[in-house]
Every structure is written in C-alpha cells, then in structure tokens.
Amino acid sequence: MTNFDFLQTEFPSIFQEASDAEKHAITAPRYCALLCRTALEKTVHWLYENDTDLQQPYDTKLASLIHEQCFRDMLKPSMFREIDAIRLAGNNAAHGKSVSRNEAITSLKYLFCFLSFV
C-alpha cells in the first residue's frame, strides 16, 4: 500500500516513480529526491500534452515548463514554490550533492500535493 495508489490505473509510470520514491525516502534520500523530480517532470509533460490552455515553450526543460506564465497561472504561488523545491532537490541529487532525509520527505510531500491537485 502506498499513498500514491490513486495514480496506479490512469498514470502507471508516474505511480511507479512516486511509489518508488516513497519506498526510499528514509533509506536513500538522494534517490527519493531524484524519483520525485522525474515523477514531477512526467506529470508536467503530461499536462502540457493534455491541457489546451498550456502552450509548450520552445525549451522543454522542466525549469522552463514550470516557469511558463500559462503554467504558473493555474497554480497557487505556494504550489509553484513546492514544485520548484522538488525540481531543485532532484537536481541536487542528480548532480551528486547531498540530500537530507528531511529534504527527501519534503519533496515527497510536495509531490503528493501536486499529484493530488492534478
């Protein structure tokens, strides 16, 4: 049982990333942060493909996608900050920087909030 079971049927690849992140939050925080970022990225790409209000920019990197005004307009400012925190922690993990358990758990919590919103 995972907190992300609600994704399993409609979004199996996002479910896999998120549930794996949840499994590793305590034992492998860097890996958890990286998985949170990839789940976020998959979700953001899905949104751009499926929401006609979102106009995909030329640069399709995660940072560019989430900073697009059309994307930011659909979020509360606090949720935008949470999404960016997931991105930054995941980037730190990907580039060999340390990620604390607290940062990993925070990324996981923020990811849950965003996926619940979607």
Side-chain angles (χ1 to χ4, degrees):
M1 190 86 170
T2 172
N3 288 302
F4 297 98
D5 279 340
F6 67 96
L7 299 167
Q8 193 165 13
T9 303
E10 278 190 81
F11 304 102
S13 67
I14 297 169
F15 164 76
Q16 191 62 54
E17 299 284 327
S19 62
D20 284 350
E22 186 177 40
K23 290 176 194 170
H24 293 92
I26 302 300
T27 58
R30 275 185 56 209
Y31 186 53
C32 172
L34 185 60
L35 289 171
C36 286
R37 188 197 182 285
T38 57
L40 171 65
E41 189 163 15
K42 286 180 179 185
T43 305
V44 169
H45 279 284
W46 183 89
L47 283 168
Y48 271 94
E49 291 169 10
N50 292 281
D51 188 334
T52 57
D53 291 336
L54 296 175
Q55 298 296 319
Q56 189 161 343
Y58 177 75
D59 184 358
T60 59
K61 294 177 186 162
L62 181 59
S64 297
L65 294 174
I66 67 171
H67 283 89
E68 270 297 302
Q69 193 60 49
C70 60
F71 186 82
R72 292 184 73 158
D73 286 346
M74 65 184 239
L75 304 172
K76 291 181 182 178
S78 60
M79 184 171 282
F80 173 78
R81 287 190 298 275
E82 291 172 359
I83 289 170
D84 204 35
I86 296 168
R87 181 186 67 82
L88 292 171
N91 286 354
N92 286 341
H95 296 289
K97 296 180 182 173
S98 67
V99 176
S100 70
R101 285 183 185 166
N102 188 44
E103 289 171 308
I105 291 168
T106 299
S107 290
L108 197 58
K109 176 182 137 185
Y110 291 164
L111 180 65
F112 178 82
C113 292
F114 180 62
L115 293 175
S116 296
F117 166 78
V118 172

